Amino acid sequence: MRRAQENAVVEMLDIAPVADELAARFVAGGHRLYLVGGSVRDALLGRTGSAGGDAPRDLDFTTDARPEQILGILEGWADAVWDTGIEFGTVGARRRGYVLEITTFRADAYDRVSRNPTVRFGDSITDDLMRRDFSVNAMAVELHSSPGERRFVDPYGGLAALANGVLDTPAAPQESFADDPLRMLRAARFVSQLGFTPAPRVQRAMTEMSGQLARITPERVQTEFTKLILGAHPRRAIELMVETGLAEQAIPEVPAMQLAVDEHMQHKDVYTHSLVVMEQAIQRETDGPDLVLRLAALLHDIGKPATRRFETDGRVSFHHHEVVGAKMTRKRLRELRFPKSVVDDVAQLVYLHLRFHGYGKGEWTDSAVRRYVTDAGPLLDRLHRLVRSDCTTRNRRRAAALQRSYDSLEQRIETLRKQEELDAIRPDLDGNEIMKLLGVPPGPLVGKAYKHLLAVRMERGPLDRAQAEAELRRWAEEHGVAP
């Protein structure tokens, strides 16, 4: 029965011809070659980019051949070969648009202080699969010299786990996570990307060992967290991180939001509210997953615990939490080594997310609308989505009123944009014109005059040439500058 199931699995896999070509060369050299890990998992899931998806593809293999023997087998066949990972037993190659990684069986030992193994080569596919992170990644297909000669290898129940959507480890999870604590965060990432549920023993081990994540460098944590946020189910993954204590290690400001009560009294806490906002922001994405928007939605209220105040009327307030939150966001994302552009954009969205609530019933002046657009800059579209997503009230009348108010603001922005080319607001005189009219050389004085004209432009809208020159002369006279 099991053999029949294995044969059926092999028949399901649309394995690329290049894999069979490579296998024929290994067999001719007296070695075995296995398609392994994520390549097999994704092929069984039918995910693009796997062995059966659309090109270009990455394929992972393992073999009993040693690295120097792998190099010999690839010689004259691969379009390109690189050996940057050869000390870990991995040789990379490219063949007809496929990127191939071939790794010698491993039987590593870990010092459990860092996550760096003492590399030891093995001789058994079963032992090699035992050292992998999760059983769904511990499946392999042995390839032979002809396409019909294949064998499915699944010693740790990966196929059943895949079918049931369960994330388990080949070895005891405590052993696996002690070897490499990053695997705990990778578990949360697979929850987000694949919708899996950790096995009870895996979640227990994550909870017991969450402090071990401190062994991992911020760069590696950021890489996994980014993949997690960009997955299909980031809320489930964030909840898992908070429940197990991983979030305390990676991004402690998120679980800290559980301490604050939402001022609208519509959620258990600000933490839950922020997860809902993130989900609603995701629903508003139009061009695929947006890292900046998702991070801003998750973090927009992280300043609330630090600004929480209990008012005399019994309500809870969080005055200026957007200012505090922007600073906290910048600090945390920098510590996680996010790119500067991501840090700046997310922090600015957090800083601006409350600005709209001053719009009220539409009494903003055109100047205020101009400032809103100018301060948002290229983030304006994301700011629109974030602000709309931040409405989580269950009061339908209030929610509808907020959406109508924002509709009104967007309409005014569009009207002003058409009238004034709002996206590129500049003073009505440039630096060269200022220097010529005032008869001054380049220097701080020109910058001050420029800033003044920009403020006037923001307040009054476009000026014609004569008005702009008169305003500059008035400013110069007030500041003792004789044109």
Side-chain angles (χ1 to χ4, degrees), residues 251-387:
I251 187 161
E253 295 82 0
V254 171
M257 288 191 289
Q258 294 177 110
L259 302 177
V261 179
D262 185 84
E263 71 267 34
H264 305 302
M265 304 298 180
Q266 297 300 320
H267 298 279
K268 290 186 294 185
D269 48 43
V270 175
Y271 162 71
T272 303
H273 163 77
S274 297
L275 294 177
V276 173
V277 172
M278 181 176 67
E279 287 186 314
Q280 294 184 164
I282 290 170
Q283 292 170 6
R284 289 183 164 85
E285 293 174 339
T286 57
D287 298 317
D290 185 334
L291 177 64
V292 167
L293 179 62
R294 293 185 182 199
L295 285 172
L298 177 64
L299 302 177
H300 74 284
D301 276 348
I302 64 169
K304 282 189 170 181
T307 58
R308 180 174 55 169
R309 296 292 181 272
F310 296 96
E311 305 296 347
T312 55
D313 62 1
R315 292 174 62 82
V316 179
S317 67
F318 305 95
H319 297 306
H320 306 300
H321 74 268
E322 75 282 9
V323 178
V324 174
K327 292 178 181 178
M328 293 172 63
T329 294
R330 189 175 295 278
K331 181 176 185 291
R332 175 54 53 195
L333 296 186
R334 280 175 175 169
E335 289 182 356
L336 284 172
R337 309 296 193 269
F338 275 94
K340 183 178 184 300
S341 59
V342 173
V343 175
D344 291 344
D345 287 352
V346 176
Q348 183 69 352
L349 286 172
V350 172
Y351 177 72
L352 293 174
H353 83 275
L354 274 191
R355 183 80 62 85
F356 159 72
H357 293 283
Y359 186 66
K361 297 181 180 179
E363 65 270 20
W364 273 11
T365 63
D366 286 349
S367 171
V369 176
R370 292 188 195 100
R371 289 186 183 279
Y372 188 78
V373 173
T374 302
D375 289 349
L379 296 171
L380 183 61
D381 182 63
R382 284 188 174 116
L383 183 59
H384 288 331
R385 298 181 191 195
L386 175 60
V387 173

Side-chain angles (χ1 to χ4, degrees), residues 6 41 132 224 265 372 410 423:
E6 292 175 352
R41 180 202 69 218
R132 295 178 182 267
E224 288 297 326
M265 304 298 180
Y372 188 78
E410 287 200 56
D423 291 332

